[in-house]
Structures are given as C-alpha cells and as structure tokens.
Amino acid sequence: MNRREPNDLKRAYAAWTIAGTSLIVAAVAGSAIIAVVGGTADAGTLVWGIVGIASLLEALVLFAYGLRLRRRYVNQVQTYETRGDYREDDGSNRPRVPLLGDGQSSQRSTFEGL
C-alpha cells in the first residue's frame, strides 16, 4: 500500500505550523520592518527588520509549499490499493467502510437518540 499521500498531508500541516510561527516572529518585528523599508532604521532596528523580513519570506514560502503538498494529496486518485484497509468487524452489524482515503476514518453517526 502506498502511504506517501498521508505523509504529504502531514508535511503540509507541519509546514503551515512553522509558517505560522514565522508569522508571529514577523509580527513582533513589524515596526522594525517598516523602519528598514522606510530607511530610518538604526543598527538594532536593522537587525530586527532583517529577521522580520526573512521570517515573512519564510512564512510565504512554507505556506505555498504546504498548499502544493495538499493539492497533490487532494488530486491523487484513490483506488482500492491506496485508500486503506477495511476496519475489523466489531459485531454491531454495521459496515465499516473507510470514508476517507487513508482508511483510518469511519462513520460515527448514530441514530439511537431519535
């Protein structure tokens, strides 16, 4: 079974997490970025501005990379070989057909309370 696709999705989420952290760093250095772009930065502000600009660029690249990985996962055609195994029978006489491509999800809706 090919497990590349779920790993791509996990890598996309990890890239987005790191991109979010980089955006926090860029937000902290926001006024320094404005000072660097405006040309009014002193030595310390210049360092923070460069760190902020680098963090902002890193966040943009990682976000685009995550989108690319997610698009590749979503556009992958799911076949009987790649969608995962059926879950074991738990004795409830309900079918346990995988609803998503990785075979780990199952239907959880019950109508006992109606």
Side-chain angles (χ1 to χ4, degrees):
M1 182 181 305
N2 187 2
R3 287 290 181 187
R4 179 179 172 204
E5 292 83 17
N7 288 333
D8 283 348
L9 197 58
K10 290 177 186 177
R11 280 189 278 168
Y13 291 145
W16 289 335
T17 301
I18 296 169
T21 305
S22 297
L23 280 178
I24 292 171
V25 172
V28 168
S31 63
I33 293 172
I34 294 171
V36 168
V37 172
T40 60
D42 59 357
T45 308
L46 179 66
V47 171
W48 266 109
I50 291 172
V51 167
I53 291 171
S55 296
L56 187 60
L57 291 175
E58 177 189 22
L60 290 174
V61 168
L62 287 173
F63 183 72
Y65 176 68
L67 282 178
R68 182 173 169 257
L69 287 174
R70 184 182 177 279
R71 183 176 299 129
R72 185 168 59 181
Y73 173 75
V74 169
N75 289 337
Q76 177 71 31
V77 175
Q78 298 295 324
T79 63
Y80 284 108
E81 290 81 24
T82 62
R83 72 176 180 179
D85 297 328
Y86 286 90
R87 297 180 152 237
E88 292 184 23
D89 185 19
D90 61 354
S92 65
N93 293 329
R94 288 184 293 174
R96 294 292 199 185
V97 179
L99 298 179
L100 297 177
D102 59 358
Q104 300 300 315
S105 299
S106 63
Q107 189 173 8
R108 300 212 186 273
S109 62
T110 58
F111 300 104
E112 296 169 352
L114 295 177

